[in-house]
Amino acid sequence: MDRRQQLVSELMDLCHEITWLNKPVLEKALSDYTLSEIEMIEHIALIPYANVTKLAAASYMTRGAISKLAKKLIKQELIESYQQAENKKEIYFRLTKAGQEINQIHQELHQTFLERDKTVFQHMTDDEFDTVFRFIGRYRYHLKNITEE
C-alpha cells in the first residue's frame, strides 16, 4: 500500500472510530431522534437563512431528502419554516425552542467529546494544526472540483 492509500485509509478508519465511539452516547442522550435529524438541526442552527439547497449541500443529501426530513422536523415542532418579506419565493428554516434545546444538548455532547480527547490535541503545535488544516482543505477543494465537473 502506498503512502497516499495508507493516509486515506487511516483517515477513514479514524472517522469510523470516532463515529463508533460517539454514536451510542449521542443515541442515549437524544434517543428520540435519528442522527440525520440531529445533524439537520445543527446545520439549521449554524447556517444563516438555511434553506433546502444550503442544507442539502451541508449534509451531502439530496434536496428531496432534506425536504422530507424538514417536513418531519416541522411536524415534531423542532423547526419552522418562514419567508422573508422581500423574497416570498424562498422558504427558510429556523429552530423552534424545542429544536434549540436539542441542539444545545448536541453541542454539549460535542464539548464532552472534545474534553475526552483533549490529551490528543494538547501537545499539537500551531504548525501541526496548520499542516493538517492545509491538507484537509486541499483535499476537500480537490473533491469539490471533481464533483462540479
Side-chain angles (χ1 to χ4, degrees), residues 39-60 66 82 84 91-95 103 107:
E39 180 182 83
M40 184 152 158
I41 288 168
E42 179 178 40
H43 287 310
I44 291 171
L46 294 173
I47 298 171
Y49 306 105
N51 61 20
V52 169
T53 302
K54 289 179 183 179
L55 292 168
S59 301
Y60 300 96
I66 292 296
Y82 69 97
Q84 293 190 338
I91 296 173
Y92 302 96
F93 302 104
R94 63 181 161 224
L95 300 180
N103 188 55
Q107 296 311 312

Side-chain angles (χ1 to χ4, degrees), residues 11 124 126-138:
L11 285 172
M124 283 185 71
D126 287 342
D127 286 343
E128 289 173 322
F129 273 109
D130 291 343
T131 299
V132 172
F133 291 143
R134 271 193 313 276
F135 169 75
I136 291 170
R138 280 194 309 261

